Amino acid sequence: MKKLKKPIFLTFICGLICFISCASKIVSESSSKLSLGTHFKDLFYLGAAINENTILGLDPKSATIVNSEYNTISPENSLKWMFIQPSPNKFNFKAADKYVEMGLKNNMYIVGHALVWHNQLADFMQNLENSAETRAHVENHINTLVSRYKGKIDAWDVVNEAFEEDGSLRASVFYKNMGKNYIEEVFRKTEKVDPDVDLIYNDYNLYKPKKRAAVLEMVKKFKANGTKINGVGVQAHWDLKSPSIEEIEQIILDVHAAGVYVSFTELDISVLPNPWEMVGAEVTQNFSQFEGDPKMNPYPNGLPDNIQEKLAKRYQEIFNVFVKHSDKINRVTFWGVMDKHSWLNDWPIKGRTNYPLLFDRNYNPKPAYKSVLEVNTDQQN
Ligand code: G3I
């Protein structure tokens, strides 16, 4: 599946429509019983972010789920700057190499996350003030990672979370030292090292019009300048109500209209109270005063059936819209494999019990798994 990129695959399908449609229906009906990935295989890649335990073979149950259910992987933390280049030019490739090896072995679409991000950055990068020095480190980082995994990693999240909610550029060390065109500069550097890899800009809260407009303006500028960009990564850290299906649909339509594909890169659905109307993934937001408050952690011993059903219904509605617009979507990736290991147990309040994924704390499929598997894949636009 990996090297059979979607457009070629779709052309192939169209060419053999009469004969193949009957046959492929039979195949997809029987394979839909097998796994999530095969259920959606003609529409988009489906996968999960995996943590270091899974990568290093310390969580075989999680690896079994990934290998049997999904056809794309993202590294939850292992390729981030602070882990892979903790001090200048000292690279630690142990987990990253294993991650790529796992993807290759299972013929998966392998994502690199993330080359340039203000968060989880190595200490030595945090307080740089000199632009030449910053550029040299960025260049070395990109050259080293992108060339090492050239032809193996299929898509890089080149820049992550560069925009503020109002659409202005975040005052990161990269922005301060490299200037307002740093994103484009970094995309160009990445393309130079691996001209064939897909290049993604990744961010959260793209259902908010101002933020989305800023990202899409950037995409259009890249296109006008001949700077390669293949897709926008929509992080999809959502909850049971927000964003609405209409808002999700609008993201897909707008990104597509800007001339690139959409990847839902970090899908999870929080079921816990959110009294501050907090959305997205701004990791500096932490409400430690609520730690241990039972009102903020209402389901410590299990998710009640009615909420479990709401989650299943919400996931089904979301996948219905993904299927409807699957011609515009490259990939859908859950941010984690099972509930116990989700980052949402510790954000924005540490130590809660959240249930955002398709597999429960015992690695068993939840009703949401079934509801996603039951999505009718024939309802494309
Ligand atoms: O580095 C320490 C390690 O030394 C220690 O052994 C371990 C024990 O708890 O903690 C380690 O750091 C943790 C790190 O993940 C690696 O496990 C941090 O405390 C923890 O805060 C960090 O959280 C990650 C978060 O990014 C940081 O911003 C989450 O796992 C990861 O899921 C999350 O992922 C981000 C995406 O990359 C970008 N989009 C938002 C998304 C959610 O925040």
Side-chain angles (χ1 to χ4, degrees), residues 5 15 32 59 79 118-119 136 160 165 176 189-190 208 219 280 298 330 342 351 364 370 373:
K5 298 266 179 179
S32 73
D59 185 357
L79 270 73
H118 66 282
N119 191 26
N160 195 36
E165 301 304 281
K176 285 190 221 156
K189 283 185 198 305
T190 309
K208 292 188 172 179
V219 170
N330 178 59
S342 166
N364 292 319
K370 192 161 168 270
L373 210 45

Side-chain angles (χ1 to χ4, degrees), residues 76-77 80 82-83 113 117 119-120 160-161 235 237 266 281 283 335 343:
E76 186 176 3
N77 285 297
K80 291 173 180 174
M82 69 180 287
F83 296 114
H113 171 83
W117 187 27
N119 191 26
Q120 289 183 293
N160 195 36
E161 302 173 7
Q235 286 192 10
H237 298 296
E266 304 185 16
V283 283
W335 201 243
W343 74 292

Side-chain angles (χ1 to χ4, degrees), residues 2-294:
K2 181 168 163 181
K3 300 301 170 197
L4 209 55
K5 298 266 179 179
K6 214 159 69 162
I8 302 165
F9 190 66
L10 289 178
T11 313
F12 174 68
I13 285 287
C14 292
L16 297 171
I17 199 95
C18 285
F19 175 71
I20 295 292
S21 69
C22 297
S24 73
K25 251 203 170 117
I26 295 161
V27 170
S28 93
E29 269 163 25
S30 62
S31 58
S32 73
K33 293 187 186 75
L34 295 176
S35 84
L36 292 166
T38 50
H39 187 62
F40 295 99
K41 76 176 171 29
D42 296 343
L43 305 183
F44 41 73
Y45 295 107
L46 189 71
I50 57 177
N51 64 25
E52 194 139 316
N53 281 346
T54 305
I55 293 169
L56 297 180
L58 304 174
D59 185 357
K61 287 187 177 168
S62 179
T64 300
I65 290 177
V66 174
N67 293 336
S68 58
E69 295 289 345
Y70 298 130
N71 48 45
T72 175
I73 46 174
S74 297
E76 186 176 3
N77 285 297
S78 306
L79 270 73
K80 291 173 180 174
W81 197 314
M82 69 180 287
F83 296 114
I84 207 158
Q85 193 194 171
S87 47
N89 213 27
K90 295 273 178 290
F91 289 88
N92 175 6
F93 294 119
K94 187 177 166 211
D97 283 356
K98 286 259 175 225
Y99 163 76
V100 171
E101 201 182 291
M102 174 175 168
L104 290 175
K105 193 170 155 206
N106 294 289
N107 197 27
M108 286 171 162
Y109 185 86
I110 305 173
V111 178
H113 171 83
L115 290 172
V116 167
W117 187 27
H118 66 282
N119 191 26
Q120 289 183 293
L121 196 52
D123 286 346
F124 76 91
M125 286 296 294
Q126 309 271 7
N127 302 312
L128 292 178
E129 285 178 357
N130 178 301
S131 67
E133 206 184 338
T134 309
R135 276 205 167 81
H137 283 305
V138 167
E139 185 137 358
N140 184 40
H141 194 73
I142 291 173
N143 285 346
T144 308
L145 265 65
V146 178
S147 63
R148 187 176 184 92
Y149 301 117
K150 190 172 176 173
K152 296 176 177 172
I153 281 189
D154 294 284
W156 275 104
D157 288 344
V158 180
V159 175
N160 195 36
E161 302 173 7
F163 288 92
E164 299 282 4
E165 301 304 281
D166 65 0
S168 62
L169 277 172
R170 191 188 283 273
S172 67
V173 68
F174 305 106
Y175 172 77
K176 285 190 221 156
N177 296 346
M178 296 171 67
K180 64 179 170 45
N181 293 325
Y182 85 91
I183 306 179
E184 188 160 10
E185 188 180 332
V186 163
F187 269 73
R188 283 179 176 257
K189 283 185 198 305
T190 309
E191 185 193 0
K192 208 169 142 199
V193 186
D194 185 353
D196 296 328
V197 73
D198 276 14
L199 307 181
I200 308 298
Y201 174 79
N202 192 47
D203 215 327
Y204 57 83
N205 285 355
L206 293 183
Y207 69 92
K208 292 188 172 179
K210 276 190 184 162
K211 194 165 184 177
R212 181 166 73 244
V215 170
L216 297 184
E217 205 177 299
M218 175 194 76
V219 170
K220 287 175 196 158
K221 191 178 130 221
F222 282 19
K223 296 236 154 212
N225 293 346
T227 302
K228 177 173 161 175
I229 178 165
N230 298 86
V232 169
V234 176
Q235 286 192 10
H237 298 296
W238 297 336
D239 64 31
L240 286 171
K241 289 197 183 127
S242 172
S244 68
I245 294 301
E246 292 71 28
E247 285 172 318
I248 295 170
E249 189 160 26
Q250 200 57 52
I251 306 175
I252 302 172
L253 294 172
D254 288 357
V255 171
H256 178 72
V260 290
Y261 64 65
V262 186
S263 285
F264 289 94
T265 52
E266 304 185 16
L267 176 59
D268 47 27
I269 305 291
S270 174
V271 301
L272 295 185
N274 181 17
W276 321 275
E277 302 299 326
M278 279 188 39
V279 285
E282 178 48 62
V283 283
T284 55
Q285 291 170 316
N286 189 295
F287 291 80
S288 50
Q289 70 270 31
F290 294 108
E291 276 171 35
D293 181 343

